[in-house]
Amino acid sequence: MIVCVAVVGHQNNPLYLQSFTEADDALKLHHVVHCSLDVIGERVNNPKRNAPALNETFLGLLYPTENYKVYGYLTNTKVKFIMVTTDLDVKDADARNFFRKFHAAYVDAVSNPFHVPGKKIASRSFGARVSTIVKSFGSGTTA
Amino acid sequence: MIGVGKAKQYANVLDKPLSRGRQEVSLSAFAFLFSEMVQYNQTQVDNIAELERRLEDAGYAVGARVLELLCHREKGNKREIRLLHILGFIHSTVWKVLFGKGADSLEKGTEHEDEYMISEKELLVNRFISIPKDMGAFNCGAFVAGIVRGVLENAGFPAVVTAHFVPIEGQQRPRTTILIKFAEEVPDAYMFFSPVVH
């Protein structure tokens, strides 16, 4: 199940950070998200020889830590979505599907004329949609 | 024979599924809104350069959002990293979504390496506007120039974009050209770089 999602702007400034566990290690999750930004930067700037095409948005598994897996997604405006999950077997299609829905919610939140780009996303409906998407992710992976 | 193969007839109009709508806005509504916007800005500024800058800033906000929306909706979530591709994207997709048709032409400037021009016989926003003589070279297409600048800057290609009138013989109204001048930071590699996957 997903424990944390984050939206990070193009200057690596956090735009939205939401954790879905009641445990006190919310700060630890924020650190994990922060470290994964480095991995994204390195993937974007030095493409590996057998890496997927440079202009793909879904970055895939960024790195596995002791009990989390971190997935990344990069949009056209260099805004990054990070997803931290504790599932051990996450199918690629599920992760892509999740990011697609998340991207749709993000586009709707940004289209708000009162939203200042670069500031934190303050829309309550965006938070509600993200919670729905996160809940439906868990049920997709159960057999 | 009636009924076989035809679409279901709904007894009650409330049972019909909601259609997606025609995704269009009436031209008169837009022209009215745009003229009010120009008039509002006119009362707030003292000179023409400031008016142009304000229209461009309004367009910039639109451009930033249009880029995010279109990349998600139309492009199948692929990012644009090459200069020619992003220009082609603006020239066809963005123009089609905003104005209902592609732009007339996209040209590369001859004097400088980093200048490009998108021309249009008549910009939609200028259709119901005529510029008085004492405003000189002011062009309400600055709004569209702002949209293009918003798209380019948020995609990672900073540029200075302006709108100009180009008089053509044989035509009463001059053609409008959007001039795009890329900043020096845009690396030349982006123009020709094509990622080779071994």
Side-chain angles (χ1 to χ4, degrees), chain A residues 79-94:
Chain A
V79 170
K80 308 158 188 73
F81 301 152
I82 315 263
M83 184 248 286
V84 182
T85 176
T86 51
D87 272 337
L88 291 176
D89 55 344
V90 177
K91 288 195 279 289
D92 198 51
D94 283 338

Side-chain angles (χ1 to χ4, degrees), chain A residues 112-127:
Chain A
N112 182 355
F114 296 109
H115 170 255
V116 178
K119 288 273 183 75
K120 293 197 186 245
I121 300 182
S123 150
R124 274 185 306 240
S125 58
F126 176 68

Side-chain angles (χ1 to χ4, degrees), chain B residues 40 48 51 54 60 75 91 108 121 132 160 164 178 192:
Chain B
Y40 172 76
I48 297 184
L51 178 58
R54 280 193 174 221
Y60 181 86
K75 295 273 299 154
H91 166 264
K108 189 167 151 61
K121 208 165 102 180
V160 173
H164 303 276
I178 312 270
F192 305 113

Side-chain angles (χ1 to χ4, degrees), chain A residues 33-103:
Chain A
V33 164
H34 191 78
C35 299
S36 57
L37 293 177
D38 273 340
V39 179
I40 294 187
E42 160 194 310
R43 284 253 187 116
V44 166
N45 291 332
N46 319 320
K48 297 198 282 265
R49 277 300 136 214
N50 56 349
L54 201 56
N55 59 350
E56 182 71 37
T57 46
F58 177 64
L59 299 171
L61 182 65
L62 294 178
Y63 73 97
T65 61
E66 64 274 358
N67 41 3
Y68 303 125
K69 284 178 157 195
V70 182
Y71 284 86
Y73 182 97
L74 185 63
T75 68
N76 209 343
T77 48
K78 306 253 185 11
V79 170
K80 308 158 188 73
F81 301 152
I82 315 263
M83 184 248 286
V84 182
T85 176
T86 51
D87 272 337
L88 291 176
D89 55 344
V90 177
K91 288 195 279 289
D92 198 51
D94 283 338
R96 279 179 199 265
N97 205 12
F98 169 82
F99 277 122
R100 203 170 39 83
K101 291 192 252 190
F102 194 77
H103 195 174

